[in-house]
Amino acid sequence: TMEENVMKVMEIAPVEFMAGTMPVDLTDTSEDGKWAVSYFTGLSDAAKITDVAVYESMMGSQAFSLVLVRTAEGADAKAVAQEMTDNIDTRKWICVGADEKIVAGYGDTVMLIMLDSQLGLKAQSYVDAFTQVAGGELDFTI
């Protein structure tokens, strides 16, 4: 599952603050459900994805978000990644913002990592961890 893959990435590249994995209900078409998809992925809706898991801070104000999505059959993973890149709000936490953002893909899975480098972290570390979890060379990095 996406949640298991998120945890594998986080085992390779852990953080020093309290954080956890959160699933996003893609079947929730209410305004709150649509907001959650957009807030976490940058996508306007869930039509091109079938599964998503998010790893973010549970307490405090740390600009850190790792998101894995599985694209729907027939969806162009790179196009989904580009939409995520173009539309994710790097200041979604209001009082803090991410200054590093990378979106990468392997097969039907897209990973978004954005973080504040002042946390002492590097987005590339999470791309490298995702590469290990994927077990092969990534198809693209944006």
Side-chain angles (χ1 to χ4, degrees):
T1 67
M2 291 294 98
E3 286 184 61
E4 291 168 334
N5 287 332
V6 164
M7 293 312 299
K8 288 177 184 177
V9 169
M10 296 312 302
E11 286 173 14
I12 296 167
V15 295
E16 299 277 328
F17 49 85
M18 178 165 295
T21 305
M22 298 170 273
V24 177
D25 182 0
L26 299 179
T27 64
D28 184 353
T29 58
S30 70
E31 286 303 312
D32 285 344
K34 291 177 187 177
W35 173 86
V37 168
S38 177
Y39 179 80
F40 290 115
T41 69
L43 300 171
S44 59
D45 59 52
K48 297 176 188 166
I49 59 175
T50 61
D51 194 10
V52 60
V54 177
Y55 190 89
E56 291 194 353
S57 173
M58 302 294 262
M59 296 178 69
S61 295
Q62 289 89 12
F64 181 93
S65 182
L66 178 97
V67 180
L68 284 181
V69 302
R70 177 166 290 122
T71 57
E73 187 174 332
D76 180 348
K78 191 169 185 179
V80 170
Q82 189 63 58
E83 184 178 346
M84 291 171 72
T85 299
D86 293 345
N87 297 311
I88 194 68
D89 182 2
T90 57
R91 293 209 42 90
K92 69 182 189 171
W93 302 275
I94 301 170
C95 55
V96 295
D99 61 350
E100 288 191 34
K101 172 179 69 174
I102 301 174
V103 180
Y106 180 82
D108 65 354
T109 303
V110 176
M111 182 197 76
L112 161 71
I113 177 67
M114 61 180 184
L115 55 83
D116 179 355
S117 60
Q118 291 184 20
L119 294 171
L121 304 171
K122 296 287 179 199
Q124 187 60 48
S125 298
Y126 298 91
V127 174
D128 295 344
F130 176 54
T131 302
Q132 287 182 26
V133 171
E137 187 174 323
L138 299 181
D139 297 329
F140 59 85
T141 302
I142 302 173

